[in-house]
Amino acid sequence: MNDNRYFGASEAELGFLKEIVRMLPAGVTVQDADGELLLVNDAAAAQLGMDGSRPSPDLVPRREACCQALSAGRAVVTEEALHEGATRQVLLTTHRPVRLAGRELLISASSDITEQKNFEDQLFRSAYFDELTGLPSRRVIEHRANSLLAGSRGGDRFALAFLDVDNFKHINDYYGHAVGDALLVELSKRLGRDLRETDMLSRISGDEFLLLLSPIQSQEEVAEFVQSTLERLTAPFFIDGSELFASTSVGISLYPEHGSSFETLRQNADIAMYRIKNDGKGMAAFFDASMEREAQARMKIEQSLRLAILEKRFCCAFQSKVDIRTQAVKGIEALVRLRDDEGVIQAPGSFINLAGELGLIDELTHLVLAEIVKSIDLINETFGAEATISINVAAKQAGKPEFMRNFARALEETGFPQRFMIEVTEDAFVAKSHFQSEILPMFRKLGVGISIDDFGTGYSSLSALADITADEIKIDRSFITDIHKRPRSQGILRAIESLSEALGMTVIAEGLESYEELAYLQAATKIRYAQGYYFSRPIFLEELKLATPASSESRGSVASRPMQQNRQGYSRASGYRR
Ligand code: C2E
Ligand code: MG
Ligand code: MG
């Protein structure tokens, strides 16, 4: 390089060029045929650690690359990863063999692509691995299953299990998302234990996992393995100072019996899982053809529900809340009914959860309110203008500020918001949402009453009741049925009663069906109100009007008494299936 004859350059020009090479932002080196470095500019010295930044740089890879490139006789592009402790530097280097002054030389230019590489890796990880649990993503397991399917020549069997954590939403609502996340991490560790190299566990969404077991010999072997996994989950999880229990429902499909594509196998495992969810959760089931028929039937209900909402084929039945001593009607509860494609009236049990899952329930609640407003004159005529009107709001809706704001506005727009009560289950109160602190005050301001529905069936305890601010508490039917014969229920009733009294809440006994139950309440408790078939079944106002024109005597007292022959709202005439 000191010889400037070849370049025909002046000393000054040469100095200038050398300075430029030295200061180039890319690392430039020149090596001879033995790999010895003849020239190293500043950037290359820094990249290779020859500037004193590292104790003794490892130049062996660079020498090897040099010899390879020279023997190949053409330019080579390589990625070099230089590690120093935990940090990694990645260089993209172009090696170019040249012949200069009769010597074989290698000119190499490197740029630092560490940042770009880190970003690519991060992208790769997020595309193929779940950030929370570190498990492979859906794409990875799908790819694995597909390659098993492609490579299978008869004989090769595998199982695909769909796992869904039970009541995960409750855990998230109750303990908060951080605890929910931590639980998923712990859960995935337990699920992943005892897997073979060839098995794969993947998290495919929120609380759903897919497990690929391959190879397998028999269905029994899979059943046994899944069972032992489920048993492992029964031990409590200790998270953030809380002891949590989590079970998982599992549906399993087998290749080749239950499908020949990943999608079919996944869907069928999902169908089997769905069956377990309905059968009591926390267990496993293999897919079978009857489940497929069930799934199709469910699909049909789903479609018809969407259509019913679209066509507004809903109506309300009303059931009175009665003063058990005077028989006066304190209020009424609107209970939604669906008229299906064939004109048959369906009770909410068959569609309300589905409406919630499909995101149709908000619209349904507004339809109920609209029907009440439309029928308000008839309601007043039948039950009295003082009767409160209760509307059920699902816990899921109660935790959504946007829906609740709209709903509060709609109640206000009726012009008589103080007539209304909203009934929500206790879950809404104990969930870590803003229901108590932000949403309830909004309704209070309008004069809308708050009622705790089905008390005793949810997740709260009696002590949680002390923190709940509501006007009314409805004791679930399961405590009232045969209350006169059940000392344990009697004890619970007394406890709820005295706590409610202390908190200034009105108590309503739900599902009162018999004279004996009524007699017990009257004799042994201070409970004043009840709702149940004994007094009145839910009724349709139109039927009421047709059956017995409301007399002035019946107004304000148990309105259903005069029409016992047709106190329906569920009548055979209307074809209501129970
Ligand atoms: P709920 O709010 O606890 O309503 C009381 C349910 O118990 C009603 O069932 C009623 O018909 C039934 N019931 C009343 N008295 C008796 C009795 O003496 N014996 C028996 N065995 N049952 C009695 P329904 O109408 O089938 O409604 C079921 C549930 O569906 C309601 O329970 C409520 O949670 C929900 N629901 C009803 N309408 C709506 C609505 O508009 N929106 C929402 N989100 N949920 C609703
Ligand atoms: Mg209710
Ligand atoms: Mg109830």
Side-chain angles (χ1 to χ4, degrees):
M1 284 294 287
N2 288 333
D3 198 337
N4 63 359
R5 277 169 308 167
Y6 301 102
F7 304 104
S10 70
E11 204 60 46
E13 278 171 333
L14 191 59
F16 181 66
L17 281 174
K18 277 168 80 177
E19 272 307 281
I20 287 183
V21 171
R22 187 175 71 79
M23 296 196 295
L24 276 175
V28 176
T29 62
V30 177
Q31 287 165 278
D32 67 13
D34 301 322
E36 288 306 321
L37 287 157
L38 307 180
L39 177 145
V40 178
N41 76 348
D42 288 358
Q47 286 165 354
L48 299 173
M50 298 168 72
D51 57 352
S53 64
R54 269 169 259 167
S56 53
D58 180 8
L59 297 174
V60 176
R62 185 50 77 115
R63 287 212 178 94
E64 283 172 359
C66 169
C67 298
Q68 270 174 19
L70 279 177
S71 62
R74 55 186 156 74
V76 184
V77 181
T78 60
E79 242 176 49
E80 297 171 274
L82 310 169
H83 292 272
E84 195 191 353
T87 57
R88 174 188 73 155
Q89 188 190 19
V90 187
L91 301 180
L92 183 70
T93 306
T94 307
H95 300 285
R96 184 158 179 230
V98 292
R99 219 184 141 74
L100 268 180
R103 296 173 76 185
E104 300 288 342
L105 300 176
L106 186 75
I107 304 176
S108 309
S110 305
S111 43
D112 188 331
I113 55 163
T114 309
E115 244 174 63
Q116 181 191 335
K117 214 58 200 159
N118 286 347
F119 181 62
E120 275 175 17
D121 284 359
Q122 195 187 330
L123 273 184
F124 178 84
R125 268 197 306 275
S126 61
Y128 295 108
F129 293 92
D130 168 44
E131 211 172 306
L132 180 68
T133 59
L135 291 176
S137 70
R138 184 202 156 98
R139 274 194 206 180
V140 180
I141 200 163
E142 180 170 359
H143 180 78
R144 176 68 151 277
N146 281 335
S147 46
L148 284 176
L149 290 167
S152 115
R153 294 167 304 280
D156 300 344
R157 304 178 68 191
F158 66 86
L160 197 64
F162 196 112
L163 303 94
D164 187 295
V165 183
D166 299 325
N167 298 325
F168 185 67
K169 211 190 92 48
H170 279 302
I171 293 169
N172 249 343
D173 285 350
Y174 192 85
Y175 294 98
H177 284 269
V179 170
D181 280 357
L183 177 66
L184 287 175
V185 172
E186 292 308 312
L187 208 80
S188 65
K189 283 185 197 155
R190 280 199 209 172
L191 289 174
R193 225 183 283 160
D194 290 348
L195 292 185
R196 300 165 297 184
E197 281 277 298
T198 49
D199 299 331
M200 183 183 278
L201 176 68
S202 152
R203 179 176 176 227
I204 55 168
S205 71
D207 60 348
E208 293 175 337
F209 297 85
L210 268 185
L211 175 61
L212 179 84
L213 299 173
S214 163
I216 56 162
Q217 303 302 327
S218 66
Q219 176 164 336
E220 291 70 37
E221 174 203 33
V222 175
E224 217 168 278
F225 180 79
V226 171
Q227 193 51 41
S228 72
T229 304
L230 287 182
E231 273 158 27
R232 210 159 45 227
L233 297 185
T234 54
F237 292 88
F238 295 95
I239 291 168
D240 200 15
S242 303
E243 187 179 10
L244 298 184
F245 289 89
S247 64
T248 299
S249 299
V250 187
I252 311 161
S253 61
L254 301 173
Y255 174 78
E257 294 92 320
H258 302 143
S260 55
S261 72
F262 170 76
E263 202 38 45
T264 311
L265 289 163
R266 191 203 57 78
Q267 240 170 35
N268 289 343
D270 190 0
I271 287 172
M273 189 280 296
Y274 194 89
R275 159 77 75 85
I276 287 292
K277 282 275 179 209
N278 290 335
D279 282 2
K281 308 188 170 75
M283 294 176 294
F286 286 91
F287 173 77
D288 69 47
S290 72
M291 294 179 182
E292 195 166 17
R293 284 193 292 277
E294 247 175 57
Q296 279 164 357
R298 204 166 51 238
M299 195 70 146
K300 208 176 140 219
I301 296 178
E302 205 177 298
Q303 291 307 325
S304 79
L305 183 59
R306 287 184 193 279
L307 200 65
I309 298 252
L310 210 66
E311 296 175 354
K312 300 198 186 336
R313 272 190 274 111
F314 287 94
C315 51
C316 285
F318 294 92
Q319 189 181 32
S320 43
K321 298 176 182 175
V322 177
D323 184 324
I324 59 174
R325 293 167 214 274
T326 64
Q327 308 249 311
V329 174
K330 175 194 192 305
I332 52 167
E333 176 175 9
L335 296 160
V336 73
R337 302 286 181 262
L338 159 73
R339 198 167 283 123
D340 71 14
D341 314 352
E342 287 144 31
V344 179
I345 301 285
Q346 303 281 355
S350 69
F351 62 84
I352 214 86
N353 287 342
L354 189 61
E357 280 169 29
L358 300 179
L360 301 170
I361 196 155
D362 295 353
E363 201 172 335
L364 199 114
T365 310
H366 280 286
L367 287 176
V368 168
L369 178 60
E371 167 142 347
I372 292 170
V373 171
K374 199 178 76 191
S375 319
I376 191 66
D377 290 339
L378 198 50
I379 289 175
N380 289 344
E381 211 176 289
T382 312
F383 301 102
E386 300 301 311
T388 57
I389 306 167
S390 293
I391 299 183
N392 289 283
V393 170
K396 187 176 166 188
Q397 299 174 285
K400 283 193 303 192
E402 200 189 325
F403 165 75
M404 292 304 266
R405 253 192 292 278
N406 283 338
F407 190 51
R409 199 172 312 127
L411 288 170
E412 189 176 13
E413 282 166 7
T414 61
F416 46 91
Q418 63 292 343
R419 282 285 294 282
F420 289 100
M421 295 201 84
I422 50 174
E423 293 195 2
V424 273
T425 54
E426 58 203 291
D427 299 355
F429 291 87
V430 293
K432 281 201 172 145
S433 67
H434 304 293
F435 181 66
Q436 281 247 69
S437 57
E438 287 169 29
I439 297 171
L440 279 193
M442 202 158 66
F443 285 85
R444 285 249 146 65
K445 230 168 95 192
L446 295 174
V448 174
I450 310 295
S451 173
I452 312 171
D453 207 351
D454 305 342
F455 187 78
T457 56
Y459 274 72
S460 71
S461 58
L462 270 186
S463 60
L465 198 54
D467 297 322
I468 294 180
T469 41
D471 304 286
E472 177 183 278
I473 177 165
K474 299 179 76 174
I475 303 175
D476 190 67
R477 179 161 64 92
S478 53
F479 295 102
I480 305 301
T481 304
D482 288 336
I483 181 78
H484 52 290
K485 292 192 255 175
R486 294 161 63 205
R488 276 181 68 86
S489 291
Q490 292 169 7
I492 293 170
L493 203 61
R494 272 197 299 279
I496 300 176
E497 191 193 337
S498 53
L499 203 56
S500 311
E501 194 180 5
L503 298 169
M505 287 191 259
T506 306
V507 179
I508 301 208
E510 283 194 278
L512 188 100
E513 291 188 358
S514 72
Y515 174 74
E516 289 77 9
E517 290 161 1
L518 172 68
Y520 176 83
L521 291 188
Q522 285 178 332
T525 75
K526 283 189 275 180
I527 291 175
R528 258 192 75 185
Y529 302 99
Q531 185 180 344
Y533 294 170
Y534 178 78
F535 291 111
S536 165
R537 292 208 174 217
I539 51 172
F540 287 125
L541 294 174
E542 301 78 20
E543 288 191 356
L544 183 67
K545 209 167 144 193
L546 290 176
T548 38
S551 68
S552 54
E553 297 90 71
S554 73
R555 190 180 302 158
S557 70
V558 182
S560 60
R561 280 289 176 206
M563 3 115 207
Q564 290 208 337
Q565 70 280 38
N566 191 19
R567 29 174 210 174
Q568 304 295 344
Y570 57 91
S571 68
R572 251 152 269 115
S574 59
Y576 170 47
R577 276 190 208 140
R578 291 180 33 83

